Amino acid sequence: MKKVMIVDDEIGIRENIRNSVQWEKEGFHYCGDAPDGELALPLIEEWAPDILITDIKMPFMNGLELASIIRAQKPHIKIIIMSGHDEFSYAQEAIRLGVTEYCLKPVSATELLQILHEVSQKMDEEEQRLTSLTMTKEKLLADLCGGLIGTSDAIDSAKKLSLSLSAKFYTIVIMDIRPHDDSQNSELLLNKTLRILEECGSVDVEFLSYIRSRTERVLLLKSSSENRIMAYLEQLRGQIRLDLEQQFNCSVVIGIGSHQERLQGIHVSYLEADEDKYITRLTQQNKASLREIHLDEKMNILLDRSRFLEFLKIGDPHLRDSFVQEFAAPLQSIDWNSSSYGVYLLNDLTLESFRLANQIFRMGADPDENIRSLQQMIRGITSWEACTRYLCELLDQLWQRRAASSGKYSDVIDQVKAYVSGQYNNEQVSLKSISAHVRISPSHLSKIFSQETGQTITEYLTQVRIGKAKELLKTTSNKTFEIAFKVGYNDPHYFSNIFKKTTGFTPKEYRTRGAVVPDESSVDMRKEPMYE
């Protein structure tokens, strides 16, 4: 709903315009008026109108002078010049100043409304063009990965960018590519490796990509077959990675997320890929530390890691101690005070266990925080008995996540919903503020909520806000801009856009035709971006 202000030195004209137009019904909000340009300036600062209607001939500061100042300071405001003087010189000056419309007095309410609607339409078209220009492929992919854009908006934006997002399966891959030679340009290296990835691509698997940081590229894999994606990922982690490292003298760390069937699942796959990349990098660092261990420290110790991982998946906690004693028996020969080999083995086992847990459990806390804590415990091990205690602790921590995967997050989801229910009218509510309230990191809370509810927190917040707005439209006589403020939108125009996107109706149409509004289950609430 666009805000309109009038500046005219004749009070009768101001009152006539103010009273002859049903502003709210016509989709506008009347801010107020002023008798001349000088008095209008501070009111324009305070009211922030979208459209300014001004007379030319006024005392102190005339309409052309006012228009000149507004065009310089607030070029987004559309100006309609209204004058009783049919002189070509005024029209010329108005055009030179870039006013949107020029009309002659007397102007009827019907004529003024026609002009206002034409100006409003021009503003909407400009906004759409601006949105089209600012929504690049990279921003669209980043918003999809960040869970900041709903399905319908993503499809619309992709269409404008001539991108195809349609697929049966989606998987996110994060590649961290770092040159061994500091003189190499990291951005240039990312572009060179992209060309190789495109040349090695599979005809059955397409990918879109964007640069996330100075050394990281994110790939969105799409395919009609899950098996084809898995085959490509095996090739990517194997031969393609080795070819890149050899050809460009660099290190390549790859994180891979789960396969998803819906666009909204891309966000979950992205978070998992980020976790997997972190664990993969630690694994590579751990293997590098093995090369630094003296040959006489290395021992032929065979740990059946697959057996440990199987026990982690399905083992009985009551059998934990006996299992660990038997599993760790080969480690009794290690001198924990003089050799680093045991630290390497436990680090390797820990990282493999976390990788498995990421795949089959829903991790509820930052993995880096957990891993750092466990690695600190490993460095403090000085005996075989301490080693067995550590393995018991490792199993216990990961079993907590196994228990959580069976619905333990219901309490967290309830806390999120309760917080949103109480704070939906606060424009500042965000993923960051919600995560602080429930004391879970934003990325993991976002992942948990998406997995448990099938929608992002942004989508849920929009659903609650629009639901409350519907209720107010049906049960009160509040104006649209008042309802917008009450449900957490300080910009009534933005609120009206979101309302129409999510319901198919403008607020005004919903109020008058609410009885025939589509069923709630058919409404796509995944619309509103959340900014941190």
Side-chain angles (χ1 to χ4, degrees):
M1 189 170 293
K2 297 175 181 67
K3 294 182 283 186
V4 179
M5 179 179 172
I6 295 174
V7 184
D8 196 300
D9 61 329
E10 296 184 46
I11 187 171
I13 291 178
R14 299 200 307 271
E15 290 180 348
N16 184 52
I17 293 176
R18 181 176 66 227
N19 298 328
S20 64
V21 175
Q22 293 180 286
W23 297 100
E24 299 292 331
K25 183 179 178 181
E26 295 295 336
F28 297 97
H29 170 55
Y30 184 80
C31 295
D33 49 60
D36 64 69
E38 186 178 347
L39 293 177
L41 284 174
L43 296 176
I44 291 170
E45 285 288 340
E46 180 182 349
W47 295 338
D50 300 298
I51 301 172
L52 180 69
I53 303 173
T54 179
D55 187 20
I56 287 185
K57 285 287 188 178
M58 295 182 294
F60 304 106
M61 180 186 291
N62 67 40
L64 293 180
E65 292 172 325
L66 175 63
S68 177
I69 294 171
I70 295 303
R71 293 301 298 161
Q73 296 181 357
K74 300 182 181 295
H76 63 281
I77 295 179
K78 302 302 178 187
I79 302 172
I80 300 173
I81 289 288
M82 188 171 56
S83 174
H85 301 270
D86 188 6
E87 296 183 15
F88 184 63
S89 60
Y90 287 131
Q92 281 184 315
E93 181 65 11
I95 292 169
R96 188 187 69 77
L97 290 172
V99 301
T100 309
E101 290 289 343
Y102 183 95
C103 62
L104 295 175
K105 292 180 181 178
V107 58
S108 68
T110 302
E111 290 172 329
L112 182 60
L113 275 174
Q114 183 179 349
I115 292 172
L116 284 170
H117 283 299
E118 288 174 356
V119 171
S120 178
Q121 184 177 351
K122 287 179 183 177
M123 294 175 71
D124 290 340
E125 290 171 355
E126 287 178 6
E127 185 179 352
Q128 288 177 358
R129 284 196 296 271
L130 181 62
T131 301
S132 178
L133 290 171
T134 55
M135 178 57 83
T136 62
K137 182 191 79 169
E138 289 73 18
K139 185 177 187 307
L140 173 58
L141 294 176
D143 284 353
L144 271 171
C145 288
L148 299 177
I149 188 169
T151 301
S152 298
D153 284 346
I155 292 172
D156 289 344
S157 298
K159 186 177 179 181
K160 292 174 184 175
L161 294 167
S162 300
L163 291 177
S164 173
L165 288 179
S166 177
K168 285 187 176 180
F169 297 98
Y170 306 91
T171 302
I172 292 294
V173 175
I174 301 177
M175 301 185 68
D176 190 339
I177 304 171
R178 304 189 184 190
H180 292 315
D181 182 357
D182 291 339
S183 64
Q184 273 189 281
N185 184 290
S186 297
E187 186 174 349
L188 183 61
L189 179 59
L190 286 178
N191 291 328
K192 286 180 179 179
T193 53
L194 176 62
R195 288 195 288 271
I196 300 299
L197 290 170
E198 290 171 339
E199 292 171 5
C200 298
S202 166
V203 293
D204 300 318
V205 179
E206 300 178 57
F207 71 78
L208 301 170
S209 75
Y210 72 97
I211 293 176
R212 185 174 84 159
S213 70
R214 190 172 58 85
T215 64
E216 294 176 310
R217 181 175 290 279
V218 178
L219 309 180
L220 167 58
L221 305 186
K222 310 185 299 151
S223 180
S224 60
S225 167
E226 190 173 7
N227 289 334
R228 289 169 183 166
I229 288 183
M230 292 176 68
Y232 178 74
L233 290 174
E234 184 177 349
Q235 184 184 7
L236 184 64
R237 245 181 175 158
Q239 192 58 48
I240 293 177
R241 181 182 65 83
L242 291 174
D243 289 346
L244 290 174
E245 289 183 332
Q246 292 173 3
Q247 183 170 345
F248 296 108
N249 188 31
C250 63
S251 66
V252 180
V253 176
I254 297 175
I256 297 175
S258 61
H259 309 312
Q260 300 288 330
E261 297 182 15
R262 297 179 183 275
L263 281 174
Q264 69 177 27
I266 289 173
H267 176 49
V268 173
S269 184
Y270 171 79
L271 294 172
E272 293 171 342
D274 208 24
E275 293 171 358
D276 187 53
K277 178 187 71 70
Y278 173 75
I279 294 173
T280 300
R281 176 167 292 285
L282 288 181
T283 301
Q284 291 187 4
Q285 291 173 351
N286 192 51
K287 291 187 185 304
S289 70
L290 179 62
R291 294 192 291 269
E292 299 175 3
I293 297 175
H294 296 299
L295 186 63
D296 57 353
E297 290 184 49
K298 298 177 183 178
M299 308 171 69
N300 292 324
I301 296 176
L302 297 178
L303 282 179
D304 190 352
R305 289 191 298 178
S306 61
R307 186 174 168 222
F308 186 88
L309 297 176
E310 187 69 16
F311 189 74
L312 171 62
K313 283 196 292 185
I314 61 173
D316 185 344
H318 294 96
L319 302 176
R320 182 200 65 182
D321 292 350
S322 58
F323 170 80
V324 167
Q325 293 281 329
E326 182 182 350
F327 171 79
L331 300 176
Q332 287 180 311
S333 57
I334 292 178
D335 183 347
W336 294 90
N337 290 308
S338 62
S339 173
S340 301
Y341 191 59
V343 171
Y344 160 77
L345 290 174
L346 291 183
N347 260 323
D348 200 45
L349 180 63
T350 299
L351 294 170
E352 280 294 313
S353 300
F354 264 81
R355 188 185 301 282
L356 176 68
N358 270 340
Q359 293 170 358
I360 63 175
F361 307 151
R362 296 175 183 177
M363 303 291 276
D366 281 327
D368 55 341
E369 182 180 334
N370 287 271
I371 291 172
R372 286 197 199 100
S373 174
L374 290 168
Q375 287 181 325
Q376 188 173 359
M377 289 178 63
I378 292 172
R379 288 191 290 271
I381 293 174
T382 58
S383 66
W384 181 77
E385 290 75 17
C387 167
T388 60
R389 287 195 296 272
Y390 169 79
L391 291 174
C392 289
E393 175 64 23
L394 174 62
L395 286 170
D396 287 344
Q397 283 203 25
L398 294 177
W399 276 338
Q400 289 176 12
R401 284 139 186 82
R402 186 176 74 175
S405 68
S406 63
K408 194 174 179 181
Y409 291 128
S410 59
D411 288 345
V412 173
I413 302 303
D414 289 344
Q415 287 181 54
V416 170
K417 290 183 175 180
Y419 182 80
V420 169
S421 179
Q423 296 289 325
Y424 69 88
N425 58 347
N426 178 3
E427 190 196 25
Q428 301 302 317
V429 68
S430 65
L431 173 61
K432 187 175 181 180
S433 65
I434 296 170
S435 66
H437 177 72
V438 299
R439 297 183 180 180
I440 293 178
S441 71
S443 62
H444 283 279
L445 177 61
S446 181
K447 178 181 175 182
I448 290 166
F449 196 89
S450 295
Q451 288 177 327
E452 294 292 326
T453 67
Q455 62 183 160
T456 66
I457 290 178
T458 299
E459 293 163 1
Y460 179 72
L461 176 61
T462 304
Q463 176 182 317
V464 171
R465 283 174 164 170
I466 298 302
K468 288 291 183 182
K470 288 180 181 179
E471 182 182 324
L472 291 170
L473 284 166
K474 285 183 177 180
T475 61
T476 74
S477 58
N478 290 341
K479 293 179 171 57
T480 299
F481 75 91
E482 293 174 322
I483 291 174
F485 296 153
K486 287 183 177 181
V487 298
Y489 295 100
N490 282 351
D491 184 342
H493 180 57
Y494 179 64
F495 163 72
S496 295
N497 285 340
I498 290 293
F499 192 93
K500 185 167 185 178
K501 284 181 179 180
T502 55
T503 67
F505 295 92
T506 65
K508 174 188 169 185
E509 290 169 341
Y510 183 86
R511 173 168 269 162
T512 57
R513 300 167 58 187
V516 294
V517 170
D519 181 76
E520 298 291 336
S521 61
S522 68
V523 174
D524 183 1
M525 307 306 295
R526 299 167 290 184
K527 304 293 178 185
E528 180 194 6
M530 185 184 290
Y531 299 100
E532 291 296 327

